[in-house]
Amino acid sequence: MSEDGHTRLKRLHMRSMRRGTKEMDILLMRFAEAHLAGLSAKELDLYEALLEENDQDLYIWISGQDHAPEKFRGIISRILESSAPKSAAF
């Protein structure tokens, strides 16, 4: 039985929120809320593969302490953009 698109988005959103470390929960939840629905099937596959990685590696990659594997660099850049504080408009 295959999963429909709506169910997949809900599952990935939940996996983004329930990582195990609060830092990763926050970063990935923000990304998921802002971007999951707009990702292509290929991008969702990549994001799902990223979610398979452990939190310690993800945090090291996202925090810039080490380079992420090449295949994840684009999606990690998007996650960082989602988590960046918005500057106040004056």
Side-chain angles (χ1 to χ4, degrees), residues 5-53:
H6 178 72
T7 302
R8 183 179 191 195
L9 289 176
K10 285 177 62 174
R11 180 176 54 78
L12 291 175
H13 189 268
M14 185 61 66
R15 287 188 62 205
S16 298
M17 293 173 31
R18 309 262 190 230
R19 296 294 307 168
T21 64
K22 193 63 169 174
E23 295 86 351
M24 293 313 303
D25 289 350
I26 292 167
L27 292 171
L28 295 176
M29 179 181 61
R30 287 180 182 167
F31 176 78
E33 288 175 349
H35 299 288
L36 272 189
L39 296 180
S40 69
K42 186 175 180 179
E43 291 170 320
L44 287 171
D45 290 343
L46 182 62
Y47 184 68
E48 189 163 7
L50 181 73
L51 292 178
E52 293 295 325
E53 300 293 330

Side-chain angles (χ1 to χ4, degrees), residues 35-84:
H35 299 288
L36 272 189
L39 296 180
S40 69
K42 186 175 180 179
E43 291 170 320
L44 287 171
D45 290 343
L46 182 62
Y47 184 68
E48 189 163 7
L50 181 73
L51 292 178
E52 293 295 325
E53 300 293 330
N54 70 61
D55 278 1
Q56 292 77 19
D57 288 338
L58 286 175
Y59 186 76
I60 288 169
W61 299 335
I62 289 174
S63 67
Q65 295 176 44
D66 197 4
H67 295 290
E70 182 67 36
K71 69 180 182 178
F72 294 135
R73 289 183 186 165
I75 195 79
I76 287 175
S77 291
R78 292 182 70 184
I79 292 167
L80 287 170
E81 289 170 10
S82 294
S83 65

